[in-house]
Amino acid sequence: MKYFSVLFCSIFLVSISGFAQNKIDKYVVGKGETINQIAQKFKVTPLDIYKLNPDAQNGLKPNSVLLIPKSTGKSNANSPKVAKELPKTHQVQAKETLFGIEKKYDVTDEALKKANPDLEKNGLQVGQILNIPSKNGLKTTTVSKNVTVYHTVLAKETKYSIAKQYDITIEELEKRNPEIVENLPVGYQLLIKGNGPKPVAKVVTPDEKVENSKPIASKAVKEITYVDYTVKAKETFYSLSKMFGLTQQQLIELNPALSGGVEEGMVLKVPSKSNQIAANSVKQKVVLSQKNSGDKKSLVLLLPFNIAKNESDTINSTANRLKNDKFLNMTLDFYSGALVAIDSAKQIGLSVDVKVFDSNETKTTSNVATIFKENHLENADAVIGPFYQSNVEKTAGLFAQNNVPVISPLSKDAGNPFDNLYQSIVPTSVLKTAMFDFLNAKQGNIIAVIDKKKETIRKYISENQKEIKIAPLTETGGLNIEGFKKLLVKGKMNYVILETSNTGMIKYTITTMLAAMANYQLQLVILEPNETLDTDEISFDSLMKLHLMYPSATKENISPEAQIFMKSYKAKNRVNPSAFAIRGFDIVFDTMMRLSQDKTYQETAETMITEQVENKFEYNKKDEGGYANKGSYILYYDTDLTIKEAK
């Protein structure tokens, strides 16, 4: 089926969804919220919610999406119609964050802190009553027609971020300020709106200049000088990479002996200063290159709308499927995020032709081969999809002859080796390795508390992480407190890795750690999500005191660029984006940005680490072929109720 047919049918499905939303709302669950709280908020009963969301009876997870029936209760005739615009308050619950509250009420970080001045000084406190500002009058970029508006360029700002902030294009920004076509200096007074006098640039030092919109590849690269460096005890690829701003592959290219692993005493060739390496060798935001219209790139999206199943459906049966078909909803959410990415790319002048096809797939079948043959896609510049691993591998095989990159958007499987296959989901094993590398690089004292049911991780640590001490257990399987205390070391951080789902053992370990904090530095660590920690049995206050640390493939992002996406998505879809919608945006926008560089997609994968709204993309070439994403974060709970990235 031609891609424009898919677009038409997809729009039809989305329209049906919009029709259904007249009676049903979507709600993103906040941290710590219960069904009763949500039911009271929407003036419905918990039973009403459970009818539409049977899985909710098994518990609520933060950021999951609930279908909420609109209340049938009649409103009070005397109630003012502008009730939604009256001042609101919010009582801070345990485990809530600023980001979550701002997302719930659709207000900016700046507006919330302006309405609650104590937030800047004291942070977020459980039980605190917050003033939630009305959205009226808080849109700082909305101005009256007769006002002249200027913007002072701040460090690290770009033309893209400024243009998006004021809802104008880069071209409009440059037209009003022709002096910034070649450069964007810090302190420059940009004319945003009105007919004011011509802005004059402030004098700034070279160190204050920010990146302009020219491609990084066109910048002059300083000559790199190298020195010898002797590897110290417990240093790893992770710590060396962070120290010198090089990827693991670049370290090996400079020092072939590293292919056998990092060993104490090795003498390595490294840059004399981390800022002397080529700009594209370090983590960076991808910067757009100016392209001619004749250099238009093509991107193919293969998404499982499975429209053939719906062709004979009535409006009612289609609406029912939209309510109950989780796979279809996941697809539509991913697609809705992709549409925002495509629109964002157009606004900044990106020249990419996007074609969308229905992959019509199950776990073992798809119509990708037919799409490939009938639409002559062999010369595409990149392909995203399908969703199932077996189908994405078949797709990689079809496009292998021309080495067209095929990006797997959602599959967690390692998969079979194809040189042109890029697995974008970060494997769990990579997250664990990242956590171990981080801890080893910090050179603290690492202790693992592992219950008897976790023999696999016990064996792994014993064989591969021999510097980690394993805490002794009692005969009944509990933590041996005296044995644990003997493993603690004064004068350095004691990282305690907790590997158990047993509530009693978790509480016992936490209590022991809190008691020991009077004499020792301690931090609690987990290697993967632990649902027991999210229950009411475990004190969130205790987790904050112990600065619970964990690896994650995603990170909450409150940057101006991320807020622009959130705002744009909600304006188009009338709901906050789900995790799949955010991933749809991140994958598609990241791919389009990479295609815009003066490099092939493969070259960008080997030299660039990128970050979008919630996801990081750090592709590493696998020994057996293809690329795997290793982009991860080390996060921790801070005492101000926020989650921060550990450095």
Side-chain angles (χ1 to χ4, degrees), residues 6 9-17 26 303-311 313-337 358-361 387-388 410 569 578 580-581:
V6 175
C9 294
S10 301
I11 292 170
F12 173 76
L13 285 173
V14 174
S15 299
I16 293 295
S17 177
K26 282 187 178 181
L303 307 181
F305 297 107
N306 294 341
I307 289 175
K309 295 181 181 179
N310 300 319
E311 288 180 343
D313 285 356
T314 64
I315 290 180
N316 288 335
S317 61
T318 299
N320 187 59
R321 184 167 176 240
L322 283 167
K323 184 193 303 182
N324 299 306
D325 191 332
K326 293 182 179 179
F327 188 75
L328 176 59
N329 275 281
M330 176 184 70
T331 302
L332 292 175
D333 281 356
F334 185 94
Y335 180 53
S336 66
D358 181 9
S359 56
N360 195 29
E361 60 181 295
F387 282 4
Y388 285 116
L410 295 175
Y569 184 93
S578 68
F580 290 112

Side-chain angles (χ1 to χ4, degrees), residues 382-394:
V383 178
I384 296 175
F387 282 4
Y388 285 116
Q389 182 65 28
S390 60
N391 296 329
V392 83
E393 288 177 7
K394 292 175 184 176

Side-chain angles (χ1 to χ4, degrees), residues 332-342 565 569 573 577 580-586 588-589:
L332 292 175
D333 281 356
F334 185 94
Y335 180 53
S336 66
L339 289 176
V340 176
I342 294 168
F565 160 72
Y569 184 93
N573 298 281
F580 290 112
I582 294 173
R583 184 148 190 88
F585 175 88
D586 283 0
V588 174
F589 194 69

Side-chain angles (χ1 to χ4, degrees), residues 15 26 156 485 567-568 586 631 638:
S15 299
K26 282 187 178 181
K156 298 184 180 180
K485 287 181 178 179
K567 179 181 177 182
S568 177
D586 283 0
D638 204 354

Side-chain angles (χ1 to χ4, degrees), residues 231-275:
V231 177
K232 298 179 178 64
K234 296 187 178 182
E235 287 191 309
T236 64
F237 270 122
Y238 179 88
S239 61
L240 293 172
S241 296
K242 290 295 183 184
M243 185 184 304
F244 298 109
L246 298 173
T247 65
Q248 178 175 328
Q249 185 60 36
Q250 289 165 336
L251 280 169
I252 293 175
E253 288 174 358
L254 286 172
N255 305 275
L258 282 174
S259 57
V262 178
E263 296 180 7
E264 182 181 354
M266 295 178 71
V267 179
L268 305 180
K269 175 184 177 183
V270 296
S272 59
K273 292 182 180 178
S274 60
N275 62 1

Side-chain angles (χ1 to χ4, degrees), residues 537-551:
E537 294 282 330
I538 307 301
S539 166
F540 185 64
D541 185 58
S542 296
L543 298 180
M544 285 191 300
K545 288 179 180 178
L546 292 171
H547 292 295
L548 175 66
M549 186 161 59
Y550 60 97

